[in-house]
Amino acid sequence: MPRPLGELEDAVMTRVWKWNRPVTVREVLEDLQQERSIAYTTVMTVLDNLHQKGWVRREAEGRAYRYEAVSTRAAYSAALMNDAWSQSDNPAAALVAFFGMMSEEQRQALRDAVRIVQVPETLEPPPTASSDTRAVTDTDTDRVDTGSTDTSTDSDNADTRGSDTARGQTRRSQTRRSQTPAPHTGTDTRPDTAGENPGSAQEPDGR
């Protein structure tokens, strides 16, 4: 950063910044003479020094030059504050002391500046990878839920088919049991006709 401006350099640069256009030595001289007695050569020397230090650029116009600021007054002030703050061994304490020296108007300007700096953070951020992931996850969840419904339906169908099969097997088992003859137990279940008609039975000896 260029070293801080001297008192006369600052007075000259104030005019250049205020007019915000290329200026001549004569224009700066006439404005300064309203406040002090100063020579043309002095203003010309100051502007030449500012050009050498990089504060202004110049462009020839006939036998004279027009000078224009390289940066703004705000940038210059910010550079001065940053340079002073960076040289502090306790930046936090330096800021507290600096804020304590501020007027109410300066504090309001600081609050406005903080809001301006924070504007990009308050804007709605663009979709991020995490948002896309959530969207995909929700979609996949819907698919899983649909699949679960289909699975439960298949299970119901399978249960129905299983019940029909079981009922069919039960009917076939009952049919086979009804068609199968009863096993022989060794006991003659035929009616005792001999007891009912003794005379019809033959004697063992043929009588």
Side-chain angles (χ1 to χ4, degrees):
M1 170 194 136
R3 59 191 178 89
L5 298 171
E7 188 272 333
L8 188 53
E9 291 176 332
D10 186 78
V12 171
M13 283 301 303
T14 297
R15 272 75 182 172
V16 177
W17 282 320
K18 181 176 67 174
W19 295 334
N20 193 28
R21 59 175 175 78
V23 299
T24 63
V25 175
R26 179 64 62 183
E27 289 174 319
V28 177
L29 173 66
E30 291 176 355
D31 195 68
L32 284 172
Q33 284 179 337
Q34 297 178 16
E35 300 176 357
R36 69 185 76 188
S37 177
I38 189 170
Y40 179 90
T41 54
T42 302
V43 176
M44 183 176 64
T45 300
V46 171
L47 282 169
D48 185 67
N49 291 338
L50 291 170
H51 175 258
Q52 297 298 327
K53 294 176 181 179
W55 286 103
V56 295
R57 65 175 66 92
R58 68 187 182 185
E59 183 177 351
E61 186 179 83
R63 297 177 61 183
Y65 288 101
R66 281 194 175 271
Y67 296 86
E68 184 178 10
V70 171
S71 63
T72 64
R73 181 69 186 245
Y76 166 66
S77 300
L80 288 179
M81 290 188 293
N82 183 68
D83 185 61
W85 184 51
S86 63
Q87 293 179 18
S88 173
D89 57 351
N90 191 339
L95 282 176
V96 171
F98 178 65
F99 295 156
M101 292 185 293
M102 285 182 170
S103 65
E104 181 56 34
E105 182 180 0
Q106 290 171 326
R107 292 193 184 96
Q108 184 59 49
L110 177 63
R111 286 190 287 268
D112 293 341
V114 171
R115 282 196 295 269
I116 292 173
V117 171
Q118 291 179 341
V119 162
E121 299 179 3
T122 60
L123 297 177
E124 183 178 355
T128 59
S130 58
S131 300
D132 295 341
T133 303
R134 286 195 298 272
V136 172
T137 303
D138 294 341
T139 303
D140 293 343
T141 303
D142 294 340
R143 295 198 189 99
V144 171
D145 292 342
T146 303
S148 300
T149 304
D150 294 342
T151 302
S152 61
T153 302
D154 293 342
S155 299
D156 295 340
N157 294 336
D159 293 341
T160 304
R161 290 194 297 270
S163 299
D164 293 341
T165 303
R167 286 194 294 270
Q169 292 176 348
T170 301
R171 287 195 296 269
R172 287 194 295 273
S173 176
Q174 292 173 350
T175 302
R176 284 196 298 270
R177 282 198 299 269
S178 62
Q179 295 175 352
T180 302
H184 182 67
T185 60
T187 303
D188 193 357
T189 58
R190 288 175 297 176
D192 188 3
T193 56
E196 295 177 359
N197 190 6
S200 61
Q202 281 188 339
E203 294 293 334
D205 55 1
R207 289 177 301 175

